[in-house]
Amino acid sequence: MQLPDDADARRSLLEAALDALDEGVHVVDAAGVTVFYNRKMADIEAMAREDVMGRRIDDVFSFPDAAGSTLLEAVRRGVRRDDVRQTYFNRRGQAITTVNRTFPVLAGGRIVGAVEIARDVTSVEQLRSTAFGQAGVRYTFASIIAESLAMREVLEQARRAARTDSSVLIVGETGTGKELLAQGIHAASPRREGPFVSQNLAAIPDTLVEGILFGTARGAFTGAVDRPGLIEQANGGTLLLDELNAMSAPLQAKLLRVLQERVVRRVGDLKDRPVDVRILATMNEEPGRAIREGRLRPDLFYRLSVVTLTVPPLRSRREDIPPLVSHFIRRLNGAFGLRAEGCEPKLMEALMAYDWPGNVRELEHVIEGAMNLMEDEAKIGFQHLPGHVRRRLEQALGEMVGSAASAPEVSGDAAAHPSQSDVTGRGLGGTSQARTSFHQLIRDHVRTLLQAALEETNGNVSEAARRLCMSRQNLQYWLREVGVDPAQYRP
């Protein structure tokens, strides 16, 4: 068969052939912009072709791993990768897992683009977790939203700790995501194919904890049968003991023996049984205080805290709030059949000002409660919040504005940098008009910073994020919030 001479016709033939493949094909140019995206790849990533073609890959997808996109790695470093498993997220926050073959394309000795051929293993990954007794493992490190430096440091420490079998103690306030981190450690560890067993020790009476954890032997007490405990059930995998400080001192001593001797003795039994299990534990209070007040044995603490991870409260990592809100909205849109796009600016400012004593769990419940009261609105506003929640957030916002209004002037250059009082004609503490002016000033300042960074980087969002010392996802959120389009700054 003779190929047609017309270049467009040849291209159409090639595209038709690639569209017939049962593997995804994604091609980018030297700038990381998509130039070809076949039908199977669109199906794998649940994306429309028009939303991907002609756009930078990192403007469309989110890559939580430090290595980032294998396609961009091939373009930037000329690296070929074969059979690499990669988990990433599309614009709707949907997780995608693929096994990729990726290679750079060279012409005249320079890289002009890259090609990726992908097999979809998303459903296989989900089946694998269930088949190996990991039905309780719903999260990996990629599932954890960490835009702040403090949280990224904790994640990096957890990734390193996942490589070994050492015990890990995870400390943090209620609702900070300690169990998510524990599941991530298991999913990234050599024990990932083994069971993940979790037990909240505060949720069961102390009289039952011993039998549940260590198992029972027939005749140990009335009605007792031979039954393995959670420690034996986690053999070959990981056991998470949530709220360790709720365990009594005698049981802590028995757990210490399991850690030291690697054997377990069931209640009423005379035989020790060898176990191979990694112990992770969480606490919702400072360990030193628990030791001083007798709720934690020092020897158990020293044995468990080979690695200690401290999860910061949400009030210490407020930059995580916007991406967390976006994540909850995306997830709940699907559950509730809504099409919410985000929060009204003033509500987001209130969310950022509030201290969140319940941390991420409280934030999630606030967003869920608000979306239950939405109909066809595009933005969540104060009107969607229950009265007690609205009052707390409005109070937090008022305190933030009052603090800003009473703050002393830090620069003597009043002409170049007028105070808020100068701009509004009065102090900020009183009227809603003054508060609106203050919020507008903040948004204008953010917009100016973002525009300057994009201008310096020719619209490269990733580079602009690096220069601003913020994550790419967080930058994208603020670009949407203040209405700045990176494409306008690209040559």
Side-chain angles (χ1 to χ4, degrees):
M1 184 182 85
Q2 185 175 1
L3 289 174
D5 294 331
D6 181 72
D8 289 339
R10 289 199 300 270
R11 178 183 176 88
S12 296
L13 280 174
L14 179 60
E15 290 181 354
L18 292 175
D19 270 339
L21 295 177
D22 199 35
E23 292 180 306
V25 180
H26 196 160
V27 184
V28 298
D29 62 17
V33 174
T34 299
V35 295
F36 181 76
Y37 189 70
N38 79 338
R39 182 179 293 111
K40 181 63 177 179
M41 200 69 179
D43 291 342
I44 290 172
E45 295 176 334
M47 294 290 291
R49 279 178 162 178
E50 57 268 23
D51 291 336
V52 180
M53 288 292 294
R55 304 190 63 179
R56 285 177 55 88
I57 189 170
D58 52 1
D59 283 345
V60 182
F61 301 99
S62 174
F63 299 89
D65 293 336
S69 163
T70 47
L71 259 176
L72 292 181
E73 186 182 32
V75 167
R76 292 167 180 166
R77 298 174 51 200
V79 176
R80 180 188 178 98
R81 305 287 295 276
D82 291 310
D83 297 323
V84 173
R85 183 185 295 264
Q86 180 174 236
T87 298
Y88 54 102
F89 298 87
N90 65 16
R91 293 180 68 183
R92 292 184 292 277
Q94 179 181 339
I96 302 136
T97 303
T98 56
V99 174
N100 305 330
R101 285 177 288 147
T102 315
F103 52 90
V105 177
L106 288 86
R110 64 186 183 89
I111 298 174
V112 296
V115 176
E116 184 159 271
I117 302 171
R119 286 185 292 113
D120 184 18
V121 294
T122 304
S123 57
V124 174
E125 185 76 7
Q126 294 168 349
L127 284 172
R128 181 191 66 77
S129 295
T130 303
F132 285 102
Q134 298 185 64
V137 178
R138 299 165 50 204
Y139 305 102
T140 66
F141 288 138
S143 310
I144 300 174
I145 295 173
E147 301 300 327
S148 63
L149 178 60
M151 196 62 193
R152 290 204 306 268
E153 287 178 349
V154 173
L155 270 183
E156 180 56 32
Q157 292 169 0
R159 285 192 181 96
R160 296 180 183 183
R163 300 174 298 185
T164 72
D165 276 343
S166 297
S167 300
V168 179
L169 179 63
I170 306 172
V171 181
E173 295 179 7
T174 298
T176 51
K178 298 184 293 296
E179 184 167 353
L180 273 67
L181 198 62
Q183 291 190 24
I185 290 172
H186 173 76
S189 75
R191 295 176 175 268
R192 66 177 68 90
E193 306 296 341
F196 178 84
V197 179
S198 174
Q199 178 61 55
N200 186 316
L201 298 174
I204 51 177
D206 196 55
T207 53
L208 300 179
V209 172
E210 185 175 15
I212 290 173
L213 278 185
F214 300 97
T216 57
R218 183 182 299 275
F221 49 84
T222 303
V225 297
D226 285 320
R227 178 176 296 152
L230 296 181
I231 294 173
E232 287 183 71
Q233 292 177 37
N235 195 48
T238 304
L239 173 64
L240 171 63
L241 299 176
D242 197 10
E243 298 196 49
L244 177 72
N245 44 319
M247 179 185 278
S248 67
L251 292 184
Q252 289 185 28
K254 193 167 182 177
L255 176 62
L256 180 63
R257 182 170 181 266
V258 173
L259 288 165
Q260 292 175 336
E261 307 296 333
R262 296 288 176 181
V263 295
V264 64
R265 181 178 295 181
R266 296 180 183 177
V267 177
D269 202 354
L270 300 176
K271 181 175 66 175
D272 289 333
R273 303 167 188 267
V275 289
D276 172 27
V277 60
R278 184 184 195 180
I279 304 289
L280 309 180
T282 73
M283 291 182 62
N284 58 10
E285 65 174 325
E286 202 272 321
R289 177 181 175 184
I291 291 172
R292 289 192 301 271
E293 298 181 3
R295 288 188 298 278
L296 180 64
R297 289 176 59 107
D299 47 3
L300 180 61
F301 168 70
Y302 299 135
R303 192 68 182 80
L304 274 176
S305 61
V306 176
V307 178
T308 301
L309 303 174
T310 302
V311 184
L314 189 56
R315 63 182 173 275
S316 298
R317 49 185 178 107
R318 296 180 192 271
E319 55 267 54
D320 287 337
I321 292 175
L324 282 168
V325 170
S326 297
H327 168 73
F328 295 144
I329 289 174
R330 284 195 301 268
R331 180 171 59 78
L332 293 168
N333 271 339
F336 296 166
L338 297 173
R339 304 176 75 175
E341 298 173 0
C343 294
E344 293 177 357
K346 187 167 288 188
L347 176 58
M348 180 57 73
E349 290 166 7
L351 297 177
M352 295 288 285
Y354 184 55
D355 273 346
W356 300 107
N359 293 291
V360 179
R361 186 180 296 129
E362 183 184 6
L363 174 62
E364 180 181 13
H365 290 168
V366 166
I367 298 301
E368 182 175 353
M371 292 185 67
N372 268 281
L373 301 180
M374 294 183 72
E375 292 183 341
D376 56 353
E377 301 95 331
K379 299 277 189 179
I380 302 174
F382 279 102
Q383 69 273 20
H384 300 117
L385 300 176
H388 66 285
V389 175
R390 185 186 311 131
R391 285 190 293 273
R392 290 203 304 265
L393 293 179
E394 288 176 340
Q395 180 181 357
L397 184 59
E399 290 173 354
M400 180 192 76
V401 172
S403 298
S406 60
E409 199 63 42
V410 296
S411 170
D413 188 4
H417 303 284
S419 68
Q420 284 87 351
S421 298
D422 296 331
V423 173
T424 61
R426 64 175 76 185
L428 290 176
T431 67
S432 60
Q433 180 182 357
R435 287 195 292 271
T436 302
S437 300
F438 172 73
H439 300 318
Q440 189 59 47
L441 277 172
I442 297 296
R443 291 173 64 82
D444 290 345
H445 184 59
V446 170
R447 184 182 296 107
T448 300
L449 286 175
L450 301 187
Q451 289 171 335
L454 290 171
E455 189 170 352
E456 291 174 3
T457 60
N458 292 323
N460 186 320
V461 176
S462 297
E463 180 60 28
R466 278 191 287 271
R467 296 194 183 192
L468 292 168
C469 297
M470 63 195 304
S471 74
R472 189 177 181 283
Q473 187 177 1
N474 204 13
L475 175 57
Q476 286 182 319
Y477 168 81
W478 283 110
L479 289 172
R480 291 193 298 270
E481 276 298 302
V482 299
V484 176
D485 183 4
Q488 296 179 355
Y489 297 87
R490 292 173 187 151

